[in-house]
């Protein structure tokens, strides 16, 4: 599209996103992300800095991403089946996303972690807590290791791509731009609001006096989660 740039994103950077998002959500629930703040877990950890041109995209289309993953020889049969169906229909089905999520949840429970989640209006699950609550760095690391292990072959690829599909249909590289596009569609901000204004507000650098909407609402949290931002309101 005119005025837009497509950047090449490695599959490994997208694969990291789901584990990082879960960890950020956990830390937020534990109160380790202070006050009003955001933890960014974008598709490529450096895209917000690298995407100098507004509208830079991580891929030409979801179909291109499906092809990128289908070319991998490390897919589980479950992942391959889901992606082959997605290639035919143009999207990952809600049913396949639910199955991937259930597999992750069951594996975590088997490893002693009971995750609490809520389903947002855009169909994405948001982690709201975990039992037992990790209280040390070692326990947080143990939780993250379990999450990474349980996601292999089940949810890591499928949930990450479904999040892109549901929360970032334009495949924007900048997570703050992604969130703002969603916030505009939900009429939470006006057309003059920018990704940089949101970033400044969430990072609390004094450039903004706060957000012009309820950041704890389902609509706002759907936008944040869809963009790969874990926002804690405290």
């Amino acid at each position: 599209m005119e005025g837009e740039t497509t950047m090449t994103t490695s599959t490994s950077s997208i694969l990291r996103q789901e584990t990082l998002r879960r960890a950020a959500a956990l830390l937020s629930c534990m109160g380790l992300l202070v006050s009003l703040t955001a933890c960014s877990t974008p598709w490529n950890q450096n895209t917000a800095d690298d995407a100098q041109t507004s509208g830079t995209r991580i891929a030409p289309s979801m179909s291109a991403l499906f092809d990128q993953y289908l070319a991998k020889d490390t897919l589980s049969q479950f992942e391959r089946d889901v992606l082959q169906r997605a290639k035919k229909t143009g999207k990952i089905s809600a049913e396949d996303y639910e199955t991937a999520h259930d597999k992750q949840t069951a594996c975590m429970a088997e490893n002693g972690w009971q995750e609490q989640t809520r389903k947002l209006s855009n169909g994405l699950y948001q982690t709201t807590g975990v039992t037992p609550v990790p209280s040390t760095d070692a326990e947080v690391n143990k939780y993250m290791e379990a999450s990474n292990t349980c996601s292999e072959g089940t949810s890591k690829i499928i949930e990450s791509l479904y999040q892109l599909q549901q929360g970032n249909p334009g495949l924007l590289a900048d997570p703050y731009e992604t969130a703002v596009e969603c916030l505009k569609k939900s009429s939470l901000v006006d057309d003059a609001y920018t990704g940089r204004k949101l970033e400044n507000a969430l990072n609390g650098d004094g450039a903004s006096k706060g957000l012009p909407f309820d950041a704890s609402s389902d609509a706002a949290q759907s936008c944040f989660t869809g963009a790969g931002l874990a926002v804690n309101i405290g």
Side-chain angles (χ1 to χ4, degrees):
M1 288 185 286
E2 186 177 355
E4 293 188 352
T5 302
T6 299
M7 66 188 300
T8 301
T9 302
S10 68
T11 56
S12 61
S13 65
I14 297 178
L15 289 179
R16 287 195 299 269
Q17 188 273 337
E18 184 61 28
T19 298
L20 291 171
R21 180 178 66 83
R22 287 176 178 273
L26 171 67
L27 296 175
S28 176
C29 291
M30 291 171 61
L32 299 181
L33 297 180
V34 297
S35 189
L36 172 60
T37 186
C39 180
S40 172
T41 57
W43 334 121
N44 182 319
Q45 289 180 304
N46 296 318
T47 53
D49 294 329
D50 294 342
Q52 298 297 323
T53 302
S54 179
T56 299
R57 304 169 69 205
I58 64 172
S61 65
M62 286 300 301
S63 181
L65 284 175
F66 296 153
D67 284 337
Q68 188 176 359
Y69 281 100
L70 283 168
K72 295 171 67 68
D73 59 10
T74 55
L75 291 178
S76 68
Q77 191 58 52
F78 168 70
E79 291 169 326
R80 190 166 298 280
D81 288 345
V82 170
L83 292 176
Q84 286 175 339
R85 286 192 289 272
K87 181 64 177 176
K88 289 180 180 178
T89 63
K91 64 180 182 180
I92 295 174
S93 70
E95 291 78 12
D96 281 333
Y97 171 66
E98 291 284 348
T99 299
H101 176 78
D102 289 346
K103 286 177 178 289
Q104 168 84 17
T105 301
C107 178
M108 292 296 285
E110 290 173 1
N111 282 271
W113 303 101
Q114 296 289 336
E115 290 186 319
Q116 293 87 50
T117 61
R118 67 166 172 167
K119 196 170 188 180
L120 299 168
S121 56
N122 60 0
L124 297 176
Y125 280 104
Q126 180 183 58
T127 303
T128 58
V130 63
T131 304
V133 176
S135 58
T136 66
D137 288 345
E139 289 174 353
V140 170
N141 288 336
K142 184 178 180 181
Y143 168 82
M144 292 177 65
E145 288 172 3
S147 182
N148 186 62
T149 299
C150 286
S151 67
E152 291 289 346
T154 58
S155 66
K156 184 178 288 186
I157 292 175
I158 305 308
E159 289 198 357
S160 294
L161 290 176
Y162 192 77
Q163 181 179 327
L164 281 172
Q165 174 184 297
Q166 298 298 106
N168 186 9
L171 298 179
L172 295 175
D174 188 320
Y176 297 98
E177 283 188 15
T178 301
V180 166
E181 284 300 306
C182 176
L183 293 168
K184 288 178 180 178
K185 290 178 181 178
S186 297
S187 300
L188 294 179
V189 296
D190 59 30
D191 290 340
Y193 204 78
T194 66
R196 298 290 68 78
K197 285 184 179 180
L198 177 63
E199 182 178 15
N200 289 337
L202 294 179
N203 289 338
D205 64 358
S208 174
K209 293 183 179 180
L211 298 172
F213 56 86
D214 180 5
S216 66
S217 68
D218 176 89
Q221 286 295 315
S222 291
C223 290
F224 292 142
T225 299
L229 296 170
V231 177
N232 175 48
I233 308 298

